[in-house]
Amino acid sequence: MREPWSPRWQEILQRSRVQITLLVLTQVLGLAVWFSSAAVMPGLQQEWGISASAGAWLTMSTQIGFSIGALAFAVSGIFEKIAPHRLLGFSALGASTLTLAVATVASSLPTAVGLRFLTGVCLAGVYPVGLRLVASWSLRDRAQALGVLGGGLAVGSALPHLVNGFGPWPWRTVMVCAAAACALAGVIGLCAVRPGRRASVQPRQHGAGAVRQLISQPVSRYACLGYFGHMFELYAVWAWLPMFALRSRGDEQPSAAMSIMLFVSLGIGGLIGCVVWGRMADRSGRHLMAGTALAISGTCCLVSPLMFSVDTTLQVPFLFVWGAAVIADSGIFSTILSASTAGGSVGTALAVQTSIGFMITLITIQLTPVIADSIGWRYALVYLVAGPLFGIGAMYLGARAESGLEQSDAVLVAPLAARKPTT
């Protein structure tokens, strides 16, 4: 395929910083459709007369579609067979088209759920592929680079709240804006994003073989388990923290100020958390920093009832800290996994990790409104602390496993290093 750029622009596009910036931009724009339904949930409930539990299926169907799509792509080896930038671009365009259909065609919950499921399948070609492409461009500061991409995920997921902040708009208008952003991500992916030099490694294993390798490697296994604990909390917070904040004020519809607050807390807070934590992880230890982020977000779960009815001047900083901590470790888990996986199998490993993690989110996304209906929104998010606790344990064991591997490598290398060269 002939490049649409002049040689000078092709040279610029081959710079790692330029590519990572473009990839972050594709995630910000492309993932705007992910939580677009959660951002407009109050309007949907009013127009369609549905409960919060029923409305949760709009988010859950996206998660199910993503998980099934990512797992199918991983087992089939598609992530290693199709040029990643093309897969990203066409997947984003597909997700955009389906979101536009929700805004213009859907008139009932079943139709919207089906379209959101297919949207999730398309997103399986956006986020895991973005992780793989960033890993292909970065090595030395990989945790920081993947952290920035995780920050892009946070900003993109919160982008519909920013659109609401300039309203209020009808829910269909917000969905159209999200679809337009996602379409732009697809164009950028096809026209400007390119795989890095490390993406040229041919896979020694893909599909089921790569999955077996992933399970058998201790460091990779604990990275996945830590990620699963992280996911137990993350998407329930993203889906229901807006409702938590709304009910804490006694409101039925989010005001413009609240929508901006949610964007800043979940989006900007998440971006800052990912960037800072990724940078520190490359210098202070990845397992340590992941465990620290889990401890902070878990503490936020526990104290959330105390922050339910406090003054806005206290609640806003609390939501910002929670929004930063709950996503800060996401890129670190991907870094640990990609660093411990054979180069050609990174795409499959990341897809398997994210696929299972997103299946776990189905439990908490559906369970949270059920708990809220039973005991109220004040206490609805406390139980999510189980995820961070599980993740902290996995990070402790993962650090020990990594240390053991490093020591065994040192034992093997030391006798060779001690030999004097012969003349």
Side-chain angles (χ1 to χ4, degrees), residues 28 65 92-93 98 100 112 120 125 172 203 207 219-220 230 253 292 347:
V28 170
L93 291 175
L98 291 161
L100 186 62
R172 295 181 190 274
V219 175
S220 299
H230 155 80
Q253 293 285 342
T292 303

Side-chain angles (χ1 to χ4, degrees), residues 193-343:
V193 169
R194 294 294 180 267
R197 289 175 292 275
R198 297 177 186 87
S200 61
V201 179
Q202 293 297 315
R204 286 181 281 182
Q205 295 188 76
H206 62 73
V211 175
R212 287 193 295 271
Q213 182 190 53
L214 178 65
I215 296 172
S216 63
Q217 218 278 7
V219 175
S220 299
R221 185 169 64 248
Y222 288 125
C224 288
L225 291 175
Y227 179 78
F228 299 157
H230 155 80
M231 292 295 280
F232 184 87
E233 177 195 18
L234 174 62
Y235 276 80
V237 169
W238 277 1
W240 295 116
L241 197 61
M243 191 66 74
F244 174 90
L246 192 67
R247 294 293 181 258
S248 72
R249 302 295 102 184
D251 297 330
E252 293 297 325
Q253 293 285 342
S255 64
M258 178 171 288
S259 295
I260 296 294
M261 177 196 74
L262 289 170
F263 172 75
V264 172
S265 299
L266 299 179
I268 304 303
L271 175 63
I272 293 174
C274 286
V275 172
V276 171
W277 243 249
R279 187 176 183 84
M280 293 175 67
D282 281 324
R283 290 155 178 75
S284 303
R286 294 163 182 171
H287 291 88
L288 172 63
M289 295 312 300
T292 303
L294 288 165
I296 295 172
S297 64
T299 302
C300 290
C301 294
L302 290 176
V303 303
S304 60
L306 301 177
M307 306 303 295
F308 185 78
S309 56
V310 298
D311 188 77
T312 304
T313 55
L314 292 177
Q315 191 182 71
V316 170
F318 167 73
L319 295 178
F320 186 88
V321 170
W322 201 353
V326 76
I327 184 64
D329 47 356
S330 185
I332 302 176
F333 295 119
S334 300
T335 302
I336 296 172
L337 182 60
S338 62
S340 60
T341 304

Side-chain angles (χ1 to χ4, degrees), residues 86-103:
R86 293 176 185 166
L87 181 58
L88 187 155
F90 285 120
S91 296
L93 291 175
S96 170
T97 302
L98 291 161
T99 302
L100 186 62
V102 173

Side-chain angles (χ1 to χ4, degrees), residues 119-151:
T119 302
V121 174
C122 290
L123 290 174
V126 177
Y127 183 55
V129 175
L131 291 172
R132 178 192 174 191
L133 283 165
V134 168
S136 76
W137 282 105
S138 59
L139 182 61
R140 181 180 177 184
D141 296 322
R142 183 175 289 183
Q144 181 178 349
L146 289 174
V148 173
L149 194 77

Side-chain angles (χ1 to χ4, degrees), residues 111-125:
T111 302
V113 165
L115 291 170
R116 294 293 292 169
F117 170 83
L118 295 175
T119 302
V121 174
C122 290
L123 290 174

